[in-house]
Amino acid sequence: MTWVILTGRQSDLDQVATPHKIITNRDYLAHPSLFRGQRPKVINLSNNYGYQSRGYYASLLASSRGHKVIPTVETMIDLSERKLYEHALPELELALNKCRKDLGGAFPAKVCIFFGIGPSKVWDRFAKLLFDWFRAPALEVHIKDSAEWASIRKIGFHPLARMTEDEEKSFIQCLETYTNREWRDTKGRTPARYTFATLVDPHEELPPSEISSLRYWAKIAEKMGVEIEPITRKDLAKLANYDALFIRETTSISNHTYRFARRAQQEGMPVIDDPLSMIRCTNKVYLNELMSYNKVPVPPTVMIAGTSDLELAAQTLGFPLVLKIPDSSFSRGVKKCANFEELKTLATEWLEDSDLLIAQKFIPTEYDWRVGVLGGQPLFAVHYLMAKKHWQIVNHKASGKPDQGGIKTFTLKETPTHVVETAVKAARCIGDGLYGVDLKETKDGVFVIEVNDNPNLDHGWEDSGEKDEVWIRLTQWFLERLDRPGRQ
């Protein structure tokens, strides 16, 4: 990766202080052919980021040249007036005040944050959050402290020209930390045009992709000029260093996966799963309404907003029936009720935490179809077999490891046309990303049970039918969006 540092004057930063190329913003603006054919990461250290200044234009034109840059002009505008960043203050002040005890009970009038790194570890939580909100090389935060609460008076840029000798020394150390990334041996490799981040949790019990599968993808992507790098939830501040994001943790609107998706979208990065798909797929109530509106076949369904709706569900669906919490995954929050008493007991318990539940007709099958759809086109097809002596593909036992059913693979040509067509129609209702559509095939037709925004994709499993074409098409999906003409 090529790092380029822009300064207002050549003398602002000593070249021996960093191994990266330093040029003035004037030279960068005057020579649009610089770094042609490359995608450098640009750190704009201009002393003035004011509207229509050289510093402003340097970041503006960096984006038009396809160069990643911090700060962006959006950040410059956000920090130009307090009223433009007031929406961030409640969260930032909450994180700030959590530092009080470790700071000995009082705050300084000003703190400098360099690349999301504070003056000591005490500031870590606040510094990372600040950098998440405003990705800038150097920021100064002015603090108004009282006995009970510290508030933020002002957030602004802290240019090199105003740094003390100690501050500049600390800044250079933070610059080195920020730009120092682990790289694999590049001997004999195809030079990477792009680097994709893959968000993983090494400790997740049922991840959508195993680490070994992502390593397999990396080998294929390497031949296409793409480097795949794993990141974890701690790496949000570094996300802008990458060109695209593939989320391979179980997604949730209420955890860090959604924040990563939002940040990637804000950076203009292609992302799977995108935030809107996460919102749409997460909630089974929404999915049922969306599928019904678009005439996608789903099992007979009754919405339950209170115990008064239970009788209607029983009369309409009969027993056994399936009760679902709207926001659930991997067969969690999905229970079969054999009679009215079981339904009433379970619904009463779940309604304490969810205002709505969904009840569906029980459709027993030996397997569920799972059709992967990418960019509105079928990607793979498999049977997920039911767990042993269980009615779901995953049996979450009261104790011990979850028991999963097996898998039977098919090529897309072997898969019944009506199954594929129904899955594609369902996925297109959600968006243009990667989805796993679960269907039940019966004598009465095919029914969509669920559309997953974060489907399983493992080597030797979901890719068994279409082989490496699955991973090639996944890589190509990102490349097509990165290579679109006029993309910034």
Side-chain angles (χ1 to χ4, degrees), residues 35-56:
F35 314 109
R36 180 167 290 169
Q38 302 178 50
R39 292 180 60 83
K41 311 292 186 183
V42 178
I43 298 175
N44 185 350
L45 300 183
S46 299
N47 289 318
N48 182 6
Y49 296 130
Y51 182 61
Q52 293 191 337
S53 66
R54 282 181 184 165
Y56 178 91

Side-chain angles (χ1 to χ4, degrees), residues 163-439:
M163 289 185 190
T164 65
E165 186 175 338
D166 286 344
E167 285 175 342
E168 185 171 339
K169 181 190 254 184
S170 176
F171 175 81
I172 290 171
Q173 290 175 344
C174 294
L175 169 65
E176 181 179 2
T177 299
Y178 180 71
T179 57
N180 183 26
R181 299 169 59 194
E182 292 184 7
W183 298 94
R184 301 174 185 85
D185 181 12
T186 58
K187 185 178 180 181
R189 295 179 56 202
T190 303
R193 287 192 297 149
Y194 299 109
T195 305
F196 296 174
T198 306
L199 180 63
V200 298
D201 176 1
H203 307 295
E204 185 172 3
E205 189 173 45
L206 294 172
S209 291
E210 297 289 345
I211 299 299
S212 58
S213 295
L214 297 175
R215 290 196 185 106
Y216 186 83
W217 176 40
K219 292 178 182 178
I220 293 173
E222 180 185 321
K223 298 173 184 176
M224 300 172 70
V226 172
E227 184 173 23
I228 306 299
E229 284 201 11
I231 62 172
T232 68
R233 61 184 302 167
K234 296 179 180 179
D235 296 320
L236 181 60
K238 298 194 300 184
L239 186 59
N241 292 348
Y242 300 92
D243 300 297
L245 173 64
F246 188 30
I247 298 176
R248 289 286 84 190
E249 284 190 55
T250 301
T251 53
S252 172
I253 301 302
S254 60
N255 73 11
H256 62 279
T257 56
Y258 181 73
R259 189 161 193 166
F260 270 81
R262 284 278 295 133
R263 174 57 67 186
Q265 189 177 64
Q266 290 165 356
E267 294 288 347
M269 299 163 61
V271 55
I272 295 175
D273 321 320
D274 66 273
L276 186 57
S277 292
M278 290 171 64
I279 291 171
R280 288 175 170 173
C281 289
T282 294
N283 194 284
K284 293 178 174 62
V285 171
Y286 173 85
L287 276 177
N288 183 72
E289 293 281 327
L290 182 67
M291 295 299 114
S292 298
Y293 179 80
N294 287 279
K295 296 182 171 53
V296 177
V298 295
T301 302
V302 173
M303 215 74 65
I304 296 177
T307 54
S308 59
D309 296 322
L310 299 181
E311 194 64 47
L312 175 62
Q315 292 175 0
T316 304
L317 306 174
F319 290 100
L321 60 75
V322 178
L323 191 66
K324 300 179 179 181
I325 296 174
D327 186 351
S328 58
S329 62
F330 288 113
S331 300
R332 299 184 185 95
V334 179
K335 298 286 186 181
K336 183 170 66 171
C337 300
N339 52 54
F340 189 81
E341 284 306 313
E342 286 188 11
L343 172 63
K344 184 177 181 180
T345 300
L346 186 59
T348 301
E349 177 188 342
W350 282 359
L351 283 168
E352 292 180 5
D353 298 317
S354 178
D355 289 339
L356 287 177
L357 302 176
I358 189 170
Q360 288 187 329
K361 182 178 177 64
F362 177 58
I363 302 176
T365 56
E366 294 181 357
Y367 59 85
D368 283 352
W369 275 108
R370 164 63 66 84
V371 178
V373 180
L374 176 65
Q377 300 297 324
L379 183 67
F380 64 81
V382 298
H383 280 175
Y384 285 159
L385 308 179
M386 300 303 156
K388 188 176 182 181
K389 296 181 180 179
H390 192 62
W391 62 281
Q392 294 170 288
I393 61 175
V394 180
N395 183 5
H396 293 278
K397 301 175 182 178
S399 61
K401 194 172 183 179
D403 182 24
Q404 298 188 72
I407 187 172
K408 183 178 180 181
T409 60
F410 297 81
T411 65
L412 289 171
K413 288 183 178 179
E414 293 170 337
T415 308
T417 301
H418 64 288
V419 171
V420 173
E421 289 178 348
T422 302
V424 168
K425 184 177 181 180
R428 287 177 178 173
C429 293
I430 303 298
D432 188 45
L434 173 65
Y435 310 101
V437 184
D438 294 340
L439 311 97

Side-chain angles (χ1 to χ4, degrees), residues 427-486:
R428 287 177 178 173
C429 293
I430 303 298
D432 188 45
L434 173 65
Y435 310 101
V437 184
D438 294 340
L439 311 97
K440 287 189 178 291
E441 187 179 20
T442 73
K443 60 182 178 58
D444 298 319
V446 172
F447 298 93
V448 172
I449 303 301
E450 196 168 11
V451 181
N452 302 275
D453 66 292
N454 190 236
N456 285 52
L457 186 55
D458 273 315
H459 177 51
W461 290 73
E462 285 78 13
D463 69 354
S464 294
E466 302 301 311
K467 307 299 181 185
D468 288 353
E469 185 65 18
V470 169
W471 304 102
I472 292 170
R473 283 184 53 198
L474 175 64
T475 311
Q476 195 62 43
W477 185 93
F478 288 104
L479 290 176
E480 287 171 358
R481 284 148 184 79
L482 287 167
D483 292 335
R484 281 175 178 168

Side-chain angles (χ1 to χ4, degrees), residues 12-48:
D12 283 346
L13 189 65
D14 193 340
Q15 179 65 71
V16 300
T18 174
H20 308 302
K21 185 172 183 61
I22 300 174
I23 62 174
T24 64
N25 52 32
R26 181 174 183 172
D27 287 340
Y28 181 78
L29 292 170
H31 300 91
S33 61
L34 280 173
F35 314 109
R36 180 167 290 169
Q38 302 178 50
R39 292 180 60 83
K41 311 292 186 183
V42 178
I43 298 175
N44 185 350
L45 300 183
S46 299
N47 289 318
N48 182 6

